Every structure is written in C-alpha cells, then in structure tokens.
Amino acid sequence: MATVLNRKDFVSDQEVRWCPGCGDYAILAAVQKTMPEFGIAPENTVFISGIGCSSRFPYYMNTYGFHTIHGRAPAIATGLKISRPDLDVWVVTGDGDGLSIGGNHLIHTLRRNVDIKILLFNNRIYGLTKGQYSPTSEVGKITKSTPSGSIDYPFNPITVALGTHGTFVARSIDIEQKHLGEMLKRAHAHRGTSFIEILQNCSIFNDGAFNDVSDKALKADHQLVLEHGKPLIFGKNRDMGIRMNGMRPEAVQLGATVTEKDLVVHDETNLSLAFMLGHFEAPLPTPVGVFYAVSQPTYDGAVNQQLVDAKAKNGAGDLRELLSRGDSWTVN
Amino acid sequence: MAVPPEAAEQAAESHESAASAPKPHVKRDQVVIRFAGDSGDGMQLTGMQFTSESALAGNDIATLPDYPAEIRAPQGTLAGVSGFQLNFSSNEVFTPGDEPNVLVAMNPAALRTNIGDLQPNAVIIVDREAFNESNIKRAGYTSNPLTDHSLDKFQLIEVDVSKLTSLAVHGLGLNNRAAFRCRNMFVLGMLSWLFQRPIDNTITSLKSRFKKTPELIEANIRVLTAGYNYGETTEMFASSYEVPAARIAPGLYRNITGNSATALGFVAAAVKAGRPLFLGSYPITPASDILHDLAGYKNFPIYTFQAEDEIAGVCSAIGAAFGGAIAITTTSGPGMNLKGEAIGLAMKVELPMVITDVQRAGPSTGMPTKPEQADLLQAMYGRHGEAPVPIIAASTPADCFDCAYEAVRIAVKYMTPVILLTDGQLANGAEPWLLPDPDKLAPIKVEFATNPEGFLPYARDAETLSRPWAVPGTKGLEHRIGGLSGENLTGNVSHSPANNELMVRTRARKVAGIAREIPPTGVFGDASGDLVVLGWGSTYGPIREAVKRVRANGKKVSHVHLRYLNPLPGDLSETLKRFKQVMVAEMNMGQLLKLVRAEYLIDAFGFNKIQGRPFKVSEIENRINQVLEG
Ligand SMILES: Cc1ncc(C[n+]2csc(CCOP(=O)(O)OP(=O)(O)O)c2C)c(N)n1
Ligand code: SF4
Ligand SMILES: [Mg+2]
C-alpha cells in the first residue's frame, strides 16, 4: 500500500527566488498541493525544464529534476519517457522557451503524443533576460528590444497545440488555484502529451497582462470556463452566453429571446470547436479549461510495444549471433 | 556448374569459338578493381558480391563505394556515375587501393569519370553497346573513346554485355528493362572467371536476394553463368589471373563496413553493461546507416528515436542517460554543430553518452558523400566555456567496433559524454573483420547509486573523479541537476567564484585522468629514427602502407597512429621526440598538428589533403621521400 503523501513531500530545501508578486509562486503552490493526490512517490516523478524564470521550477520540487538548456526540455523528456515509461515526466517551459527557441520540439512532442505533461507558463514576455517581447506578446508591445512597438503577430499557444493535433489541450491561470489544480489533475490523468497553457503574471516586466481574466472585479465578465457537456455561459450574473451566428460565434445576453438552449454546448472531443474557442479574442471572453481531450495511443507506449513484439518474434537479443550475421567465412 | 545450354550456345555463337585447351593462369599479388556504371546499373551489388567471392577465396581485402551525390541523376550523365572499388591481395591490405588496374565501365560517363585514376596499362572492360552516340554525347565526349585511340595506352576489352545478357535470358519472358538490369551479373560472371573465383556463393546469395521473384533468380543465374563461360570460351581474355590466398589470422571472419561496425560496437557495449541502448538521431549522410542498423535490433532491447532535428537527437539521448540507458547520438559535421550546446550540458551535469560524428567534407554542406577529418578541433573545442570531452577516433572500418565499445566504456566509467570520430571513408568502406568473442570484451560496469545514506550527487570516486549515477525511480536519492554552476558535492545552484573554478578544474582533471588507462603508444617501425608520420582516423591505411614501402627501401621512418585524441596518450610527447622530424598527415588543414605543437612544443609539420578523397599511398610515400631528401 502506498503511503499517504502530502504537500511537504514535494517541497525541496532550496530557497525559492522569483520576484515578489511573480505568478510562478502560485503555480508552484498549486503543483505542490496537487501532486500528493496522484499517489505517485516523489522518486518516480521527474520535472524537466528549459531556461527562463519559469524553468527554475524543478529546483523547488523535491522530485528528480533537470534544469536543461533553452527550449530543449521536451526533447530531453521524450528520451527519458521512451526509455523509462515507468516514470511520471513533467515539463515546465515558458512562452519564449517553448514557443520561440523550442517551438520545434514542442510541436513534435505534441504530434507524437509522448506521455508527458507540459506546463507552459505564458507571461507574454521574456522574464529572465529582463523584458524583451516574446512570441506571445501582442502587436505593438513596447519593450527594450522593441522601443517602437513590436510588429510581429503573436502565437496563440492553444491553437498551436491544437494544430499539432495534441491530444490534451487546456488553459488555466496562475492565481486560480482551484481551477489550476483541476487542470493539473485532468492533465495527469490523460495518457499522452498533456499541454496546459498557464497565464502567468510577470510582476516586473509585464504586470497585469492578464488583468481582465485574473482581477477579481473583471474576471467574471472576461473568463469563459469550459466544461464538457455544458453550455458556454459566463458573466458576473451568469447571464451571458456564446451562440453561433451562422459560422461565427457571438456573445449574447440570456433572457426572454435567447435561452440556454440557443448556446453552444462544449464538447472536448470536437477539434473544430476547440479551434474556434482557441481563437477567441476580445470582445469575446477568454476561455479557460479543457479545450480538447481525446484518447490516442502514446508514442512511448507504441515504441515499447515494438520492442516487446520484436522480442516475442526473435527472442531476446543474442550478441554472439548478431555479430556473426551475414556472410562469414573461416580462415584456418 | 550447370550451364543453361541455350545461353552458352548463343554466347559462344556471337564470337568465334574458343580454343578448348584451358587458358593459362597468371599469378598476381594484388589487384585493384573498380566497378563503375550508372547508379541504376547495380555496381554496388556487383562489387560487394565480388568482394565476398574474394574473401571466401582467402584474400585480404578493402573496399570503398563511391556514391554519386544525387540519388538519381539523369541516366548516362557524369553526375549519375556510381562506383565501387575493391583491393584484394595475397598480402595484408591497408587501403582500397590508389589506382585501379582493372576498370569496368558500363557506359561512357563511367569511363570518363574514372579514367584519370587508372594505372598505365590498366585493363578496361566496357559494354560496347552502351557507347552509342547519345551516351557518348551525354558523357561530354566529342568522339567515341573506343575508336578514337584515346585509350591506346590501356588494355581495352569491349564486350557486348547488353546483347549477351538479353540472349542469356531469352525465353524467360522478361521485359527489356528487367533483362537490361541483369547486365551486372554478366560482368560479375566474366570477372569471376578472369580471377578464378567460384560463383557458387553468388548463386546462393542470388537465390536469397530474389526469393520473392523466382523468375529473376533464374535470369540472374543464367546471365552470371553466361558471363563466366564467356570468359572461359572466348578469346577476349588471353589468360586468367590468380591472386592466391593471403596469410590471415585464423578465425571466423565477416566483411564489415565502418557504420555497421559502429552500430555493433554500441550494441555489444549495451549488452555488456546490462542496460538498454538508446539512440536519438536525425538522418544525415554518411551517418544514417548506424540508425538504420540499430533500428533493426529492437529485441536487444534497443530504442531508436528519429528526432525532429539533431538537437532533439542529442537531447533525447541526454534524457535517456538521465534515466540510466546507454545513450548515444549519431551525426555528421553539420549536425555536430547543432549538438554543441547539449554536449556542453551533458559534460556539465556529468551524464554518460557517446556522440558519434561520421565526418564528411565541409565546410557547410560541402561534399556530403566524401570523407574529411576537419571536425577534430570542433570535437575538442566546439563548446562555450571550459568543456573538455574525451575523444576517440577509429582508424579502419572494423576498428569502429572497438572504438564504439571503448567510447561507451569510458563514458560510463567516467560519467562523461565521449565523442567518437569516424568519417565517410570508414563508414562505407569495408574490410574483413575477425569476429570478437563477446566473453572476452572488456567489462563495462554499471552501478547505480542506491543508498540514500550520505548521498551527494556530485561526490566523486577518488580515482576516476567520477560522480554517482543516480537514476530517477530510486527512493531517497531525489535530486536536481542542471546547467547552472553547481556547488561541489551537492550540485545545488551556486554562484561562488571559487567553487566555479574548483568545478571547472575538477571536471578537466577527470577527463585528463583518462590518460592513465591509455595503453602505451604503439610505434610501427623503430622507436626512433629520421621521421615519424603521425596520424589519426581513416588515414591509417595509406600511412601504414606508405611507411611500409619506404621502410622496405631502408628509410628510417615510423608510423604512430592515435586512437585517443583527448586526452592524448601520456607517452606521446616522448615517443615523438625520439624522431628527428614529425609529420602529421591529415585530411584537414592541420588540426592534430596544432594540438601536438601546442601541447608538446614540437616543431612538427603537416601533410594535408582536403579534397574529399583519402590520401593515396603514393602521395604519402612521395612526400616522405621528399622530406627525407630535405
Ligand atoms: C541558447 C540560449 N539563447 C538565449 C538564452 C537567453 N535566454 C534565457 S531565458 C530566455 C527567454 C525566456 O523567456 P521565457 O521562456 O518566456 O521564460 P520566462 O523567463 O518569461 O519565464 C532567453 C532568451 C539562453 N539562455 N540560451
Ligand atoms: S522577471 Fe517576471 S517572470 Fe521572472 S521571476 Fe520576476 S516576475 Fe517572475
Ligand atoms: Mg515568458
């Protein structure tokens, strides 16, 4: 019987060194609080990260941890998971780490459906290098490297992940502890690559970037919480909804003429719907929750099955036999 | 041997009937033969099959294919010529041979691209029918070389290969294209007769190759036999040749390419270590065959991961090493550039793995199918910061096995990434390989840390300075590693200046300490003398042969060839200093030369070739003679 784990089992002895007010603290708290519920011992859990403020994360977890190089965590995690499918492997990355320098590894990991859990801390800025714009920064962003405003169009992490046909794609918010915990649990329960974009406040270089969805006074009107099988309703008074107007979604006021029956019902297994929700931008609310979740064989599972099959077919490898394969001859 | 009567008859008919008396055998010590044709002409297969026949006949051999850069260049063009060279001898063979004494040219383009390499008076065998007007023009000739006397200094043998082939398959219902594709077997049959090689083994291998298409078995055997009988019965060849068996160490042999030997070396190491092998790789010429080979050995167990790029290839291997696998990545120069940062990480966190660089001619995309040795300094220094990595280089195709094995052994023992250097020449070249006895391979001990009592991830073995390998899944050993400067013993992030210097020096000492296990440097020839030729990697063959030749002429010249390039052998300095002059022969601008001059303050000089072609024995021989004449 596994011993009961608690939060402390996942807290390392290292001093946490993010800036005061950084959203990373809240994410760390949610992860440390939720991990014990998985019933997986710290020694069987591995956190792998790239480079960035967010990527310091593994130092603070009392699990196995590997702080690697910029953008490459998904590739390192893939090698580990393929050869050690027994381990619970997590990747922590940032918007720069995961979508700029490491974009290639991120999309290919999602495409392959390797059974790892990816947490992308999106603060829409390069924190560690002191505030340059990132691939998720909005157009016109004024930063040290873009004093006249950034001119390139941003990536949307959700639709990037959906574009790879990732099998679990979700979004949550640093300070929404309960929701984030739920998403972590869903991500962990999923077999295959789980991708969670976590909107994270960088209090130093991009403070308030997600105010509309995280501020207590504003969020109800700007957050759309996705729940499978439920109509898309939001608003302080739960009186707003999403309806299709032909092929286009629109926000509508519920009342006498428009009722719940007219609203779109969320279906996590509908990729087209997931894409549509992924593309929501103001004045539509920001969806949080699980956009898409489907079950598909995992890459690491299939790789290991091929090994099992090869052994069943050819027997365990015999080195002496292998070396002498092919045309051989004896010299006397 | 049963001869299909029809084929024999027709073949004989088309030429004057031969004398029935057996033709004389002429003894030869050594023959270098090159098969050249269009990439669709089956020259590689012909060459490999003739190689097997020669090996079975007891010759020592070395081979080298020469692939065109384009996969399917237009037929009949110079760019589409594919070649295969074989050197077989009754003496020990070190190289695939400088200058062929026999060329088989299946078309004018094959003749034109290879004629410059031939020995004077070489035998040239051509398919006469392929020398038609359009092929001649496509090869860039303005007149037919078969008739314009430009080949007068060679022994030209014109054979109607295409016609004789189609006669031999007559009645089998093969279409023209399929019949045409059997031409290579006619050539093989003819050469088998010319060098008195039995064709039974080829027949057996044709049967297995064409298992699924019995009509092709029949056709190929008929054509092969027709070619053999053609040699015997026509007057095309005045005599046959005999290259007697070489004196070779007894044992079980197999012909092996460098890439296959590399793959097997890794498998053997993983088996001996008792751990799964993990290869993360991205396809690149000329390294891909290692990936292909290993992908077929899954039951050992072996994981092969074709990554999205070279960075993911090396990174996935680092992940697998973290998890306790024998981790490797394979690539060539351009991919090596991409892997640099990750190799630095592996070096810093001290995880074992092997990075294989099958060097090819650069810079940039360069000549992808051609060999070079210009990645040595990249292997030495191609990372930021102080990031020493052990380097091992293979010197012959079969040596790739030993070097791959040794690279893993060192990686695991010292907890460090190790770079294995081979090159395109070794990768595709082949030689007979005396099969090693798995029981006699050096042990590779893997001991994972298990005891939480006083566990420190960067505590070190007193002798090797190696740190413990503590893999995830081990209770009580949870720890974090990473690229940031780490505190001595704990590995915790540390910005202490003194600690940083301590760690940099400790890792450097660890790598330098490997020199303790490097065997004494072997000197071919006398331990002192007028000149020592120093080499590493695939230049072994031509240097050794050249030094043998000048020594036979009484010159005081020796050869030292390095397997360990970082650290260099501890006795190398004294070894070299016993000679009046040190010449470093390399297929680069002088990279080992820079290292030995810097390390030992020796006034060595270089002999360099950067043509994407190996040294010819004669080039090194001539250079040695010039140097000695001063
Ligand atoms: C190869 C390489 N290039 C650049 C850097 C510098 N660098 C470190 S973190 C970073 C951006 C991090 O941004 P993000 O991933 O969004 O992480 P955050 O700090 O915002 O959490 C950059 C450019 C590096 N460490 N390595
Ligand atoms: S710079 Fe921004 S992201 Fe980085 S620790 Fe500070 S607040 Fe957090
Ligand atoms: Mg960021």
Side-chain angles (χ1 to χ4, degrees), chain A residues 51-54 70 94-97 101 123 125-129, chain B residues 341:
Chain A
I51 298 290
C53 297
S54 35
H70 202 17
D95 43 320
D97 192 65
I101 192 166
N123 54 15
I125 202 81
Y126 285 179
L128 190 74
T129 45
Chain B
E341 187 191 11

Side-chain angles (χ1 to χ4, degrees), chain B residues 552-564:
Chain B
N553 292 332
K555 306 277 166 60
K556 294 193 169 65
V557 178
S558 299
H559 176 199
V560 167
H561 211 78
L562 300 181
R563 167 183 283 186
Y564 300 89

Side-chain angles (χ1 to χ4, degrees), chain A residues 18 24 50-56 69-72 93-101 121-130 132 134-136 200 202, chain B residues 341:
Chain A
W18 287 305
D24 292 352
I51 298 290
C53 297
S54 35
S55 288
R56 295 291 178 97
I69 45 177
H70 202 17
R72 317 302 172 194
T93 183
D95 43 320
D97 192 65
L99 289 169
S100 192
I101 192 166
F121 297 11
N122 183 11
N123 54 15
R124 306 187 83 171
I125 202 81
Y126 285 179
L128 190 74
T129 45
K130 301 201 169 83
Q132 301 82 1
S134 92
T136 58
Q200 175 244 326
C202 169
Chain B
E341 187 191 11

Side-chain angles (χ1 to χ4, degrees), chain A residues 14 43-44 58 61 63-67 75-76 79 84 104-105 112 299 304 306 315 317 320 323 325 328-329 331, chain B residues 55 250-251 253-254 298-299 303 305 308-309 311 316 319 323 437 439 472-474 477-483 492:
Chain A
Q14 297 294 293
E43 72 263 23
N44 294 323
M61 295 293 298
T63 61
Y64 282 87
F66 199 170
H67 179 220
I76 291 173
R84 290 291 306 277
N104 199 29
H105 308 307
R112 295 189 184 102
Y299 182 83
N304 279 282
Q306 284 191 342
R320 197 176 292 275
L323 296 183
R325 263 185 216 173
S328 56
W329 68 93
V331 174
Chain B
Y253 283 81
R254 127 186 213 195
K298 290 193 166 44
N299 56 327
Y303 295 98
F305 173 56
E308 55 272 24
D309 59 24
I311 300 174
S316 63
D437 179 350
D439 297 336
T474 318
L477 302 191
E478 298 85 353
H479 65 285
R480 274 66 56 193
I481 59 175
N492 287 335

Side-chain angles (χ1 to χ4, degrees), chain A residues 33-46:
Chain A
K33 177 159 180 287
T34 314
M35 293 299 295
E37 296 185 33
F38 303 149
I40 295 188
E43 72 263 23
N44 294 323
T45 304
V46 184

Side-chain angles (χ1 to χ4, degrees), chain A:
Chain A
M1 217 13 244
T3 46
V4 178
L5 297 162
N6 60 51
R7 182 183 157 275
K8 279 221 181 85
D9 292 317
F10 291 90
V11 178
S12 83
D13 60 359
Q14 297 294 293
E15 184 196 345
V16 184
R17 288 198 192 148
W18 287 305
C19 308
C22 176
D24 292 352
Y25 283 99
I27 304 173
L28 178 64
V31 172
Q32 287 173 333
K33 177 159 180 287
T34 314
M35 293 299 295
E37 296 185 33
F38 303 149
I40 295 188
E43 72 263 23
N44 294 323
T45 304
V46 184
F47 274 83
I48 299 180
S49 63
I51 298 290
C53 297
S54 35
S55 288
R56 295 291 178 97
F57 196 93
Y59 289 119
Y60 309 133
M61 295 293 298
N62 190 34
T63 61
Y64 282 87
F66 199 170
H67 179 220
T68 71
I69 45 177
H70 202 17
R72 317 302 172 194
I76 291 173
T78 296
L80 178 62
K81 184 67 189 181
I82 291 173
S83 56
R84 290 291 306 277
D86 56 309
L87 298 172
D88 204 22
V89 181
W90 295 74
V91 164
V92 174
T93 183
D95 43 320
D97 192 65
L99 289 169
S100 192
I101 192 166
N104 199 29
H105 308 307
L106 183 75
I107 60 175
H108 287 282
T109 303
L110 281 158
R111 169 179 75 79
R112 295 189 184 102
N113 201 30
V114 186
D115 189 16
I116 60 183
K117 316 297 148 210
I118 301 176
L119 311 180
L120 186 141
F121 297 11
N122 183 11
N123 54 15
R124 306 187 83 171
I125 202 81
Y126 285 179
L128 190 74
T129 45
K130 301 201 169 83
Q132 301 82 1
Y133 83 117
S134 92
T136 58
S137 298
E138 62 281 12
V139 177
K141 184 99 190 156
I142 308 266
T143 71
K144 273 180 256 175
S145 63
T146 51
S148 322
S150 64
I151 50 180
D152 37 341
Y153 303 106
F155 257 152
N156 173 335
I158 296 294
T159 55
V160 168
L162 290 171
T164 68
H165 288 203
T167 57
F168 180 94
V169 179
R171 177 188 284 147
S172 193
I173 300 172
D174 50 9
I175 56 170
E176 296 281 353
Q177 291 290 291
K178 188 152 168 292
H179 186 263
L180 181 51
E182 285 309 312
M183 290 303 106
L184 291 169
K185 279 184 236 172
R186 285 286 312 271
H188 185 259
H190 178 73
R191 293 277 71 84
T193 311
S194 305
F195 176 83
I196 311 181
E197 177 197 10
I198 304 172
L199 307 182
Q200 175 244 326
N201 192 44
C202 169
S203 48
I204 305 295
F205 297 110
N206 205 14
D207 196 26
F210 303 107
N211 251 0
D212 55 343
V213 287
S214 57
D215 183 272
K216 280 214 172 68
L218 300 171
K219 70 179 188 184
D221 285 338
H222 292 93
Q223 245 189 45
L224 171 65
V225 181
L226 304 174
E227 287 176 278
H228 184 61
K230 303 231 172 110
L232 301 180
I233 297 180
F234 66 103
K236 240 193 310 285
N237 307 315
R238 310 265 318 145
D239 59 351
M240 299 288 289
I242 303 295
R243 174 178 79 171
M244 294 307 290
N245 179 359
M247 301 288 279
R248 286 179 186 277
E250 61 180 7
V252 288
Q253 182 80 46
L254 293 174
T257 47
V258 183
T259 69
E260 270 190 40
K261 282 202 307 298
D262 299 309
L263 301 183
V264 177
V265 174
H266 186 45
D267 175 1
E268 289 172 1
T269 64
N270 181 340
L271 186 58
S272 306
L273 176 60
F275 260 111
M276 188 186 81
L277 292 166
H279 283 298
F280 270 27
E281 48 188 57
L284 292 172
T286 301
V288 297
V290 178
F291 287 73
Y292 188 59
V294 289
S295 171
Q296 250 175 42
T298 65
Y299 182 83
D300 44 299
V303 168
N304 279 282
Q305 189 57 48
Q306 284 191 342
L307 263 54
V308 169
D309 294 347
K311 197 169 162 189
K313 185 159 167 251
N314 308 319
D318 175 349
L319 182 57
R320 197 176 292 275
E321 180 276 328
L322 176 67
L323 296 183
S324 60
R325 263 185 216 173
D327 281 346
S328 56
W329 68 93
T330 303
V331 174
N332 296 309

